Structures are given as C-alpha cells and as structure tokens.
Amino acid sequence: MGRAPCCSKVGLSKGPWSPEEDSLLSDYVQKYGEGQWRSLPKKAGLLRCGKSCRLRWMNYLRPGIVRGNITADEEDLIVRLHALLGNRWSLIAGRLPGRTDNEIKNYWNTHLLRKLHSAGVVHPAGGRDLPRSDNLTKQKKSKSHTKKKEDDGVKNRAPFQKTRVYLPKPLRVSPEFSRTNSFDSSGSRTSSGSPVEWPPLFEIKDAVYEMLIGDGGGGGAAADFLGGEFSPELLSHADSISDNAEMLDKVYDEYLQLLQFPE
DNA sequence: AAGTATGCCAACCGCAGCGAT
DNA sequence: TATCGCTGCGGTTGGCATACT
C-alpha cells in the first residue's frame, strides 16, 4: 500500500470549498504570496491540507483565471499543443492565458478526446486514446443531446489532420514557465542571449513535421523557419529519420528545452 | 412527473522531480 | 552520494446538473 493520503489527518476537511474557506485562502495568499503550501493552512486558519489549498488557489481563486467558454481558437490550439506535447496539461495551459491545466484536461477528456476519436484520429499520447474511466464506466454513448452540445460548441471545424507523433518522455517543467508565467510572457531568448520572437507553437510543430517526415526535402526551409535552433547533428539527419521515434524524441526534447529554459 | 442515463467539472490521490541537508 | 520533505503534475473519482425515456 502507498503512503497515507495527505488529507487523512483527523480534523482536516475534504470536498467542496465554502466561501469562507475561499476567503481565508485568498486573503492569505494575496497578503503573503504563494508557496509554503504545507504550512499555509495552519497559518491561514484553514482545516485543509496544503495540497488542497494549492489546488484551490491554482484552479479557482488565482487572479486572471478565465472560466468556461473555450473558444474555437483555444480549442484548436489545445489540439495542436496536445499533438506536440501529449498530456502535459500544465505546459498546454501555459500557452493559454487564464486557463488552468485542470480545465484543459477536463475539456480534453470530455470534449476533444471523443470528438477526435469519432473523427478517426488516433492519438498515441501515453497510449491513452480511449476515454477516461468516467467514460469507460458510463460509456453507452452518443446521445443526441450530447452531439448537439458538441456541435454548438465547435462548429464547422475541419477534422484534425493527424500525423503519427511519437511523444517525448515526460519532462519536468520549471515553475517560472508553468501556469503563472506562460511562454509568451517568459521573455524567451536565444541561446546567444538575444531576444527572440517565437512563432506560434503549432507553426513550429508543423515545421518540425515538415523537416522530419515531410515529403521531398523540406528540411532546409524548416530549419530556416526554426531559426537554426536545433543542433546541427539533428538537422543533418533530417532526411533520414522519417518515422524514427528516437530522433523525433530528440527533436522534441531540444525544442522543449529551448521553450522552457531560455538562457 | 418520475426514474434513468449521461455530461461535466471540482477535487482528491499517488507518483515523481527537485532542492536541501 | 543518499535520504528526506515539499511541491507540481497527471490520472481518476464523486456528485450535481441536465437530457432523455
């Protein structure tokens, strides 16, 4: 058996937060800042565990949170980012200002996954191209109202054209990049130290695909587009690594390094 | 109108990375 | 170098809301 749940201590509350608890947490964090989640509940007068407090703050109370109504553009970006990054919800959330990883994860699991699946899109991310347990247990499916809702949400969108993607191994993300600071606001720089204006992530992804698995030597243009940020070794192999999962992993890792740890 | 099925989402759980010692 | 504790992340669950029969 694993360790005891963090909220198992006698006297700690679980479940939905009350307005009073929200107020206590908000006041404390705004006064003393985020962090020290372990000791925060006691100091703030909350009968919650630190993890619960952090989650509540990050997903609900934090300033700038945008709730509901995921736009078509946001959805498109989520799909594209997921194709590149897999289930790294915090990274994806970092590209969507005001959105939380939890919200995006929920949206993916309740809307996009089903839609992509019904469109015949196979996603290799973590081998998890089937719906979550909720859908597994409740899956009888495809009620008319469900379809209507989905149609209302995102109309007339072209099916996502999927190229098979081999996802990189999991990568931890620095807090500076994740959640609070999106990539857009992180002041990215090139390895030489000069500021760089990155193109949208999905354009980079497309360029990587072109370089790696595109038809007929698009590698040069792709490399130009990417600004030569990938190592010469990788670029020199661009013509021969079609469908090479290991090399794709390397490219993704390099890209993610550039993305997450600007010098 | 009542019962059932399904969708949605807030919150919990456990694992793993990372820094401190 | 090894260990420990804290934190963040992704997977999963539980319960309410809504649609359907």
Side-chain angles (χ1 to χ4, degrees):
Chain A
M1 307 298 276
R3 63 183 174 186
C6 72
C7 298
S8 64
K9 290 181 183 173
V10 177
L12 291 188
S13 304
K14 291 172 68 176
W17 282 62
S18 68
E20 291 73 23
E21 289 176 310
D22 282 346
S23 178
L24 281 171
L25 179 57
S26 271
D27 289 348
Y28 184 90
V29 173
Q30 283 170 16
K31 194 169 180 179
Y32 299 104
E34 297 180 27
Q36 304 296 315
W37 295 110
R38 190 89 172 178
S39 57
L40 183 149
K42 195 173 181 179
K43 293 176 182 172
L46 286 160
L47 292 174
R48 294 272 180 174
C49 70
K51 288 176 77 169
S52 182
C53 292
R54 178 187 163 276
L55 198 70
R56 183 63 176 174
W57 172 257
M58 291 295 188
N59 288 336
Y60 199 87
L61 299 174
R62 187 160 49 102
I65 294 284
V66 179
R67 309 189 66 74
N69 295 325
I70 293 202
T71 66
D73 285 344
E74 286 177 312
E75 180 184 304
D76 186 62
L77 186 55
I78 290 169
V79 170
R80 289 172 179 274
L81 286 169
H82 188 271
L84 176 65
L85 300 169
N87 293 0
R88 291 185 206 158
W89 307 117
S90 61
L91 265 182
I92 295 172
R95 292 289 297 174
L96 291 153
R99 299 294 184 184
T100 69
D101 54 0
N102 206 35
E103 183 176 21
I104 291 170
K105 177 172 60 181
N106 283 333
Y107 188 75
W108 176 267
N109 285 331
T110 56
H111 295 83
L112 297 178
L113 197 58
R114 195 181 314 124
K115 179 161 39 173
L116 293 177
H117 200 256
S118 66
V121 174
V122 177
H123 250 281
R128 235 183 136 255
D129 60 333
L130 289 175
R132 65 203 176 97
S133 59
D134 185 39
N135 290 341
L136 289 174
T137 53
K138 296 175 178 176
Q139 212 169 30
K140 301 278 190 325
K141 270 322 95 104
S142 268
K143 290 299 199 177
S144 58
H145 71 282
T146 299
K147 187 170 192 315
K148 180 179 184 308
K149 268 190 168 181
E150 289 172 0
D151 290 346
D152 288 345
V154 234
K155 304 186 181 102
N156 305 322
R157 304 190 57 73
F160 183 60
Q161 294 301 311
K162 195 68 222 77
T163 304
R164 183 166 177 77
V165 180
Y166 297 83
L167 293 167
K169 47 192 171 297
L171 186 72
R172 270 324 225 214
V173 181
S174 69
E176 287 72 26
F177 174 76
S178 162
R179 296 169 182 264
T180 48
N181 297 330
S182 73
F183 168 66
D184 285 331
S185 60
S186 63
S188 303
R189 291 176 174 274
T190 65
S191 55
S192 62
S194 58
V196 60
E197 191 74 21
W198 284 90
L201 193 55
F202 63 85
E203 291 183 26
I204 294 175
K205 182 206 72 171
D206 290 342
V208 171
Y209 286 165
E210 181 194 357
M211 180 175 72
L212 297 178
I213 55 185
D215 294 329
D224 288 342
F225 176 82
L226 292 167
E229 291 292 337
F230 292 108
S231 69
E233 185 218 355
L234 284 174
L235 294 176
S236 70
H237 285 81
D239 290 339
S240 61
I241 57 178
S242 174
D243 244 352
N244 183 318
E246 185 180 337
M247 195 60 81
L248 276 165
D249 281 355
K250 285 187 178 181
V251 171
Y252 282 142
D253 282 348
E254 280 204 16
Y255 172 66
L256 291 171
Q257 290 292 324
L258 291 168
L259 193 65
Q260 293 162 24
F261 306 110
E263 294 287 318

